[in-house]
Amino acid sequence: MSGTETWVLASHNAGKIKELSEILAPFGIALKSAADLDLPEPEETENSFEGNAGLKARAACEATGLVCLADDSGLAVDALDGAPGIYSARWAGEPRDFDRAMQKVQDELGDASDRTARFVCVIALARPDGSMAHFRGEVVGEIVWPPRGEAGFGYDPIFQPVGETRTFAEMSAAEKRALSHRGRALALMAAAELGA
């Protein structure tokens, strides 16, 4: 790819914007965020990660005329029937407070012996020609308590991936990216769309 191409990330989440910008920069892609462009956040009315990611990507693409990507991601806890799932960001109510959301996960799990969970990320890539592609990444782990680590964002302090002794919030950005659901979904997207 020659030169730099500008894509739009349909997100107002600063942590997500930073993470995706670092991943896409080597491919000559500069990311503008929905916040940079003052785009509204569309209401997430779909009942799946794929549906919500597609809704956000399409809305941003139609507003800007640029290639847009959006992700919908969340924590799915097996013993809670997949909750909080697509409601992860809003699970503990407004304003979004992940300390409260992590406490709610712990409260609902109680002393459950099965603490298996997975982070799921679906990236939707919408192009001005109307085409749309979806890429899904997952990482399996378990819920730990109390929260550990200062890095990362969201539910990272209570999620310990399989085979690790640290939570995502105890890892460097590069270590987390190598294992994460978002990293896996982005790798699939890069392979399909950027020849990586």
Side-chain angles (χ1 to χ4, degrees):
M1 223 171 178
S2 59
T4 300
E5 186 179 351
T6 299
W7 287 9
V8 175
L9 174 61
S11 177
H12 290 73
N13 180 317
K16 207 176 276 188
I17 293 159
K18 182 177 186 297
E19 189 175 9
L20 278 126
S21 293
E22 290 169 359
I23 290 168
L24 292 173
F27 297 105
I29 293 169
L31 271 190
K32 293 264 188 208
S33 72
D36 294 336
L37 300 170
D38 204 25
L39 299 176
E41 286 190 80
E43 190 177 345
E44 295 179 18
T45 54
E46 298 291 328
N47 61 3
S48 68
F49 291 113
E50 284 81 2
N52 282 325
L55 181 150
K56 292 184 281 190
R58 172 69 52 231
C61 186
E62 288 173 357
T64 63
L66 296 169
V67 175
C68 293
L69 63 108
D71 88 325
D72 197 48
S73 53
L75 178 70
V77 181
D78 290 359
L80 303 182
D81 295 324
I86 62 169
Y87 305 106
S88 291
R90 305 177 295 282
W91 205 47
E94 295 290 347
R96 295 176 185 182
D97 179 340
F98 281 103
D99 288 336
R100 197 167 66 221
M102 288 187 287
Q103 184 66 58
K104 184 174 178 184
V105 169
Q106 173 62 17
D107 291 348
E108 295 210 5
L109 270 178
D111 56 6
S113 57
D114 180 6
R115 298 181 72 82
T116 309
R118 68 205 69 242
F119 266 127
V120 178
C121 173
V122 173
I123 291 177
L125 185 71
R127 294 186 178 277
D129 66 6
S131 65
M132 172 94 69
H134 292 90
F135 307 94
R136 185 183 183 104
E138 293 189 13
V139 59
V140 178
E142 66 177 358
I143 301 301
V144 298
W145 197 261
R148 303 193 319 251
E150 302 298 321
F153 56 93
Y155 295 93
D156 287 353
I158 62 169
F159 183 81
Q160 182 174 299
V162 167
E164 286 289 326
T165 57
R166 297 172 298 163
T167 68
F168 270 168
E170 294 176 297
M171 297 179 186
S172 70
E175 288 173 319
K176 176 189 166 186
R177 196 162 45 238
L179 296 171
S180 81
H181 51 310
R182 190 166 293 110
R184 290 174 181 183
L186 279 165
L188 292 172
M189 185 197 79
E193 302 289 331
L194 304 170

